[in-house]
Amino acid sequence: FNTWANSVLKVASKVFQVEDASNTEPTIATQYRLAPVKETNEPPLCEALSKIHKKNVVQSKLTKQSNLQSQTSDRKTLLVELDISQNKEALQYSPGDHVAVFPANSPAQVAAIIRRLTDAPPGGQLVRLEQSNEQAADGSYKWVTESQLPDVMSLERALTHYVDISSCPSQDVLEVLAQSANNNKEQQTLLKMVQNDEVYETWKLSRCPTLADTLALFPSVQVPAPVLLQHVPVLQPRYYSISSSP
């Protein structure tokens, strides 16, 4: 199905004359940058997530998590209990509604990815993701902020809470990795997965690799930090049905 869906998307893009970003040649090293900011503190995490997802995000305490399936079952159904006593007014709900729980990426995966970035800012430095589509006659760029990510953030928080590094990289992300590969064999392997949906789906289903896993498979890849943040999708919340009454 996934191979068919990708093929349909590409055909539809041609029919409706939607530009296919994979056919462009972005100057990925200069199109994006992480610019230092004057602010000395990041915004509260819930405030930042609220702006990214356009939802009212509040902090709650996880009091219990258990698997409702038997130990012999290959299925997993989680029962999650949250203490919302500090946010009762903000969390108005009825039985059957859904609550969105925002996950965090593994610190080990975050550290592994940062080690592979070519221009990661110093740890804890606050930056803003900027991009430029205009170049002046003198070669300078006009930088603007056009990102879903907060205007003030550290790279560590962005990789932990804002972008999805735990899912298998998309073909668009693999193309970025291919452009950043210094080994021709690795580059060609990545491009083959970008250009061949069947090869990509086979690799994806057989390995289920995270972004860190993928970088480990292709050691010559050195990705500019702003390029990675621009192309990796936003980390999405997990939805749970509410079984209790208010």
Side-chain angles (χ1 to χ4, degrees):
F1 171 80
N2 290 330
T3 301
W4 171 83
N6 286 333
S7 300
V8 169
L9 178 60
K10 291 180 179 179
V11 172
S13 297
K14 292 181 180 179
V15 171
F16 295 103
Q17 298 181 338
V18 177
E19 182 180 358
D20 183 357
S22 65
N23 292 330
T24 62
E25 285 292 337
T27 53
I28 63 172
T30 57
Q31 193 176 8
Y32 307 101
R33 73 176 184 181
L34 291 177
V37 297
K38 296 179 180 179
E39 288 82 355
T40 57
N41 294 298
E42 291 188 82
L45 180 59
C46 289
E47 178 184 319
L49 291 172
S50 294
K51 288 184 177 180
I52 293 173
H53 297 274
K54 297 179 174 56
K55 298 180 183 294
N56 180 28
V57 180
V58 297
Q59 188 170 5
S60 299
K61 183 178 180 181
L62 176 65
T63 59
K64 184 179 179 181
Q65 175 180 299
S66 57
N67 184 11
L68 299 181
Q69 300 292 336
S70 68
Q71 294 183 351
T72 59
S73 174
D74 58 358
R75 298 178 58 195
K76 190 175 184 179
T77 304
L78 292 179
L79 172 63
V80 178
E81 296 185 9
L82 301 173
D83 179 4
I84 63 169
S85 57
Q86 303 299 318
N87 300 296
K88 282 188 175 180
E89 292 186 4
L91 293 174
Q92 300 293 322
Y93 68 92
S94 300
D97 288 347
H98 288 79
V99 60
V101 177
F102 288 85
N105 293 312
S106 158
Q109 290 199 39
V110 170
I113 290 172
I114 290 178
R115 288 195 295 267
R116 299 294 298 277
L117 301 178
T118 59
D119 54 357
Q125 180 176 341
L126 300 184
V127 295
R128 175 174 56 245
L129 178 59
E130 297 180 339
Q131 70 179 68
S132 176
N133 295 319
E134 294 184 37
Q135 188 172 17
D138 62 359
S140 62
Y141 286 87
K142 179 181 179 182
W143 295 98
V144 296
T145 303
E146 294 183 5
S147 172
Q148 289 181 277
L149 303 181
D151 289 343
V152 179
M153 62 182 179
S154 65
L155 178 61
E156 292 82 0
R157 180 187 272 193
L159 291 174
T160 301
H161 295 287
Y162 300 155
V163 297
D164 186 357
I165 62 172
S166 298
S167 299
C168 178
S170 66
Q171 286 170 294
D172 289 339
V173 173
L174 291 183
E175 185 173 21
V176 171
L177 301 187
Q179 294 170 341
S180 303
N182 296 315
N183 178 279
N184 183 65
K185 184 177 180 181
E186 291 181 11
Q187 184 178 62
Q188 293 305 312
T189 300
L190 287 163
L191 288 176
K192 188 174 182 180
M193 290 191 287
V194 171
Q195 298 163 358
N196 189 310
D197 295 340
E198 186 174 351
V199 172
Y200 170 73
E201 291 297 333
T202 300
W203 172 78
K204 176 181 175 180
L205 294 174
S206 63
R207 290 182 175 270
C208 298
T210 64
L211 179 57
D213 295 334
T214 304
L215 289 172
L217 291 170
F218 300 95
S220 79
V221 172
Q222 298 289 326
V223 193
V227 174
L228 187 73
L229 290 180
Q230 178 66 27
H231 288 85
V232 175
V234 169
L235 182 60
Q236 297 298 321
R238 279 46 170 169
Y239 288 89
Y240 292 82
S241 297
I242 300 175
S243 58
S244 61
S245 59

